[in-house]
């Protein structure tokens, strides 16, 4: 409730300020991280070597509100966002066992941004970010530790096997308990405005660590972990309403001429092919789409697709998944000309996946923090099946070489318990 109130205050601020002049605008945005890098380090805790874990994916998603003040050559912006992010983690390895611990955090942030506009529609920006972090879910690791200790007492002959598992569980718990509740970041990037639509490519770098030390066995170990990630965001300016949502009377004649010059087809079928950020070159998807336009700018889309994902994270073991997806989307065209169209689509997606994941007993061998070998155990219980209902957000651009054939590119973020990814690709269709 407190976070919703905080976001509501910001939106109210943007709404009220817009009444003082055309310079103030405000609206909603969605954020999708796409690539992660973390600081490298090495630490020894008992028999375990501790190194960073980095998959190359900055998985997660966020949404928020923003208010902007525009001048001809510069602008300033304040944002309030919230979301779920899979932050960098640690990897523990010894001669007897190994495992990774990943930070999954819910966070709210406030961003203060300033920028320069070399062109009316192009923005170069930089800013600072303050984050409030909390765990996305609570795992009863203490119960697992108690179970392992009970096994040692019950089966003393197996002490050599269970003792490393206890240490590993305690270090995993230390990661989950040791993250910073507040940290700061700096960001810089490029932005493009197309009418009310705003698109941004941003690089964000932590100024303070998300993890600074681990408390294990009554001792504190310094583990300073910082990160940087690229993200894409798409937003729409809702205020002032007359400028961005309602059709101004002075443009009515122009709009009528546009409607007469652009043929209107109610149906569009198409196919899309793309790659996901899980592992470029190893993860791909194919899908068929049908859109029924109920207005020149508004349509309803049905999507049926297949996703193939091969994940081979550094420090982790590979997983292979095949996913079948069915989605329904509402579609809006903020840019609508005879040859160029920009689309926004959002809606629910049902995903069903099947595949394999290495069984318990697989391991990774390291030397001086570098991975030098892996063992993978595959058993009948390595097979994995999952299904879930989630959401999709997509932005696409289409060029019309003819009135009936659109071709273009698209970018998507999907949040789904069965399969979460960011993807981009190529599409082609036919209108009738």
């Amino acid at each position: 409730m407190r976070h919703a109130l905080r976001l509501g205050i910001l939106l109210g601020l943007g709404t009220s300020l817009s009444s003082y002049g055309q310079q103030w605008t405000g609206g909603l945005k969605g954020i999708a991280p796409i690539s992660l890098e973390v600081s490298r380090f090495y630490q020894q805790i008992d028999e375990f070597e501790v190194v960073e874990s980095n998959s190359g994916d900055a998985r997660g998603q966020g949404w928020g509100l923003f208010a902007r003040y525009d001048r001809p050559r510069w602008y300033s912006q304040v944002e309030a966002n919230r979301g779920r992010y899979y932050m960098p983690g640690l990897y523990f390895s010894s001669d007897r066992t190994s495992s990774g611990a990943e930070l999954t955090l819910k966070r709210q942030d406030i961003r203060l941004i300033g920028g320069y506009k070399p062109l009316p529609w192009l923005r170069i920006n930089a800013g600072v970010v303050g984050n409030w972090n909390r765990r996305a879910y609570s795992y009863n690791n203490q119960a697992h530790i108690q179970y392992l200790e009970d096994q040692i007492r019950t089966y003393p002959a197996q002490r050599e096997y269970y003792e490393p598992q206890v240490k590993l569980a305690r270090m995993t718990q230390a990661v989950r308990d040791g993250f910073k509740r507040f940290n700061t970041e700096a960001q810089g990037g490029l932005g493009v405005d197309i009418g009310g639509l705003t698109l941004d490519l941003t690089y964000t770098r932590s100024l303070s660590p998300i993890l600074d030390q681990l408390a294990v066995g009554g001792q504190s170990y310094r583990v300073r972990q910082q990160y940087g990630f690229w993200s894409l965001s798409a937003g729409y300016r809702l205020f002032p309403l007359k400028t961005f949502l309602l059709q101004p009377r002075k443009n009515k004649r122009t709009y009528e001429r546009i409607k007469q010059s652009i043929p209107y087809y109610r149906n569009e079928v198409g196919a899309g092919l793309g790659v996901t950020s899980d592992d470029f070159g190893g993860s791909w998807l194919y899908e068929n789409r049908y859109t029924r336009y109920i207005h020149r700018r508004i349509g309803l889309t049905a999507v049926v697709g297949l996703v193939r994902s091969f994940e081979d994270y550094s420090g982790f073991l590979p997983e292979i998944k095949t996913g079948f997806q069915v989605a329904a989307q509402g579609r809006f065209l903020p840019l609508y000309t005879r040859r160029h169209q920009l689309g926004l689509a959002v809606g629910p997606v049902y995903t069903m996946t099947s595949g394999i994941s290495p069984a318990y007993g697989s391991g990774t061998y390291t030397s001086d923090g570098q991975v030098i070998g892996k063992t993978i155990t595959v058993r009948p219980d390595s097979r994995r099946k999952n299904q879930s209902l989630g959401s999709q957000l997509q932005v696409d651009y289409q060029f019309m070489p003819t009135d009936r054939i659109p071709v273009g590119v698209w970018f998507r973020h999907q949040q789904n318990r069965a399969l979460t990814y960011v993807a981009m690709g190529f599409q082609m269709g036919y209108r009738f």
Side-chain angles (χ1 to χ4, degrees):
M1 187 68 182
R2 180 176 56 192
H3 303 306
L5 180 61
R6 187 183 299 161
L7 294 179
I9 291 173
L10 179 63
L11 182 58
L13 177 64
T15 306
S16 61
L17 289 174
S18 66
S19 63
Y20 287 92
Q22 294 287 330
Q23 303 99 325
W24 283 101
T25 57
L28 302 170
K29 68 180 301 184
I31 306 168
I34 55 175
S35 181
L36 172 71
E37 60 182 32
V38 299
S39 55
R40 304 186 70 86
F41 65 87
Y42 174 83
Q43 179 64 270
Q44 187 78 32
I45 300 180
D46 292 336
E47 65 192 84
F48 287 89
E49 295 178 334
V50 184
V51 297
E52 78 290 341
S53 64
N54 179 12
S55 69
D57 267 344
R59 294 176 293 152
Q61 79 288 331
W63 66 274
L65 310 174
F66 67 90
R68 185 201 293 183
Y69 180 79
D70 279 285
R71 301 296 293 171
R73 284 293 183 181
W74 62 272
Y75 76 100
S76 59
Q77 183 166 308
V78 59
E79 299 180 12
N81 304 302
R82 66 180 308 177
R84 177 181 301 210
Y85 293 83
Y86 298 82
M87 304 303 294
L90 302 179
Y91 188 72
F92 308 98
S93 64
S94 71
D95 293 337
R96 294 186 288 179
T97 188
S98 60
S99 182
E102 185 181 59
L103 281 173
T104 305
L105 301 177
K106 287 184 177 180
R107 75 178 207 177
Q108 292 79 39
D109 66 58
I110 298 293
R111 299 169 184 259
L112 301 177
I113 302 167
Y116 172 71
K117 294 191 285 187
L119 297 172
W121 51 270
L122 180 64
R123 296 174 283 107
I124 302 172
N125 59 73
V128 293
V129 186
N131 298 313
W132 289 265
N133 305 302
R134 62 188 180 91
R135 282 193 304 209
Y137 56 84
S138 179
Y139 175 72
N140 190 3
N141 208 44
Q142 294 299 330
H144 180 57
I145 293 173
Q146 183 63 49
Y147 165 78
L148 294 173
E149 291 176 339
D150 289 343
Q151 293 297 101
I152 293 175
R153 287 189 289 269
T154 305
Y155 307 103
Q158 299 295 321
R159 174 180 294 271
E160 186 176 351
Y161 171 78
Y162 283 110
E163 278 188 342
Q165 304 299 324
V166 172
K167 293 179 182 179
L168 198 58
R170 287 174 177 165
M171 288 188 292
T172 300
Q173 186 63 41
V175 172
R176 292 170 176 158
D177 292 340
F179 70 91
K180 296 293 185 181
R181 268 56 178 180
F182 176 83
N183 76 307
T184 57
E185 299 169 345
Q187 73 167 61
L190 294 173
V192 175
D193 294 328
I194 306 172
L197 181 69
T198 67
L199 302 173
D200 287 88
L201 173 65
T202 303
Y203 178 74
T204 303
R205 183 72 187 180
S206 63
L207 298 176
S208 59
I210 189 68
L211 194 64
D212 200 23
Q213 62 180 9
L214 293 182
V216 181
Q219 288 186 278
S220 292
Y221 298 88
R222 184 170 178 78
V223 178
R224 186 177 180 86
Q225 191 166 44
Q226 293 183 266
Y227 58 88
F229 63 89
W230 290 92
S231 62
L232 288 172
S233 65
Y236 200 86
R237 290 183 278 180
L238 303 173
F239 302 100
L241 292 175
K242 186 177 180 180
T243 301
F244 297 108
L245 289 185
L246 304 180
Q247 181 65 32
R249 290 182 180 179
K250 65 180 181 180
N251 291 335
K252 188 173 182 180
R253 292 180 180 177
T254 302
Y255 182 64
E256 291 299 327
R257 287 198 301 269
I258 290 175
K259 288 202 299 183
Q260 292 174 5
S261 67
I262 303 176
Y264 175 38
Y265 301 105
R266 287 191 175 275
N267 303 289
E268 179 182 321
V269 293
L273 182 68
V275 292
T276 77
S277 62
D278 287 337
D279 180 19
F280 281 98
S283 299
W284 56 269
L285 60 87
Y286 170 81
E287 58 192 23
N288 294 310
R289 307 169 188 162
Y290 169 73
T291 300
R292 173 72 172 181
Y293 284 96
I294 57 179
H295 181 274
R296 288 176 176 267
R297 292 176 179 264
I298 300 172
L300 301 174
T301 301
V303 184
V304 177
L306 184 70
V307 183
R308 178 71 169 176
S309 177
F310 178 79
E311 303 173 358
D312 188 11
Y313 298 156
S314 174
F316 291 92
L317 296 165
E319 293 184 351
I320 302 173
K321 298 178 183 177
T322 298
F324 175 75
Q325 298 194 149
V326 178
Q329 300 173 342
R331 181 169 173 78
F332 172 62
L333 302 178
L335 175 65
Y336 181 67
T337 70
R338 187 161 190 170
R339 293 291 176 246
H340 307 276
Q341 296 184 2
L342 189 71
L344 291 175
V346 64
V349 57
Y350 170 76
T351 303
M352 180 172 60
T353 63
S354 62
I356 64 170
S357 179
Y360 184 80
S362 302
T364 300
Y365 298 101
T366 62
S367 176
D368 296 328
Q370 300 297 316
V371 175
I372 60 174
K374 295 182 179 180
T375 62
I376 300 177
T377 303
V378 178
R379 302 191 307 232
D381 61 359
S382 297
R383 186 178 182 184
R384 299 287 187 268
K385 286 189 174 182
N386 204 351
Q387 57 183 335
S388 179
L389 184 66
S391 61
Q392 282 186 352
L393 172 65
Q394 180 169 304
V395 179
D396 64 81
Y397 164 77
Q398 295 191 117
F399 173 69
M400 309 287 295
T402 73
D403 289 335
R404 290 182 179 270
I405 299 178
V407 295
V409 294
W410 53 270
F411 169 80
R412 173 191 300 159
H413 176 262
Q414 173 171 307
Q415 176 64 31
N416 191 298
R417 183 170 53 83
L419 191 63
T420 296
Y421 62 81
V422 173
M424 59 186 65
F426 174 81
Q427 62 186 1
M428 183 173 183
Y430 179 76
R431 292 181 174 175
F432 58 96

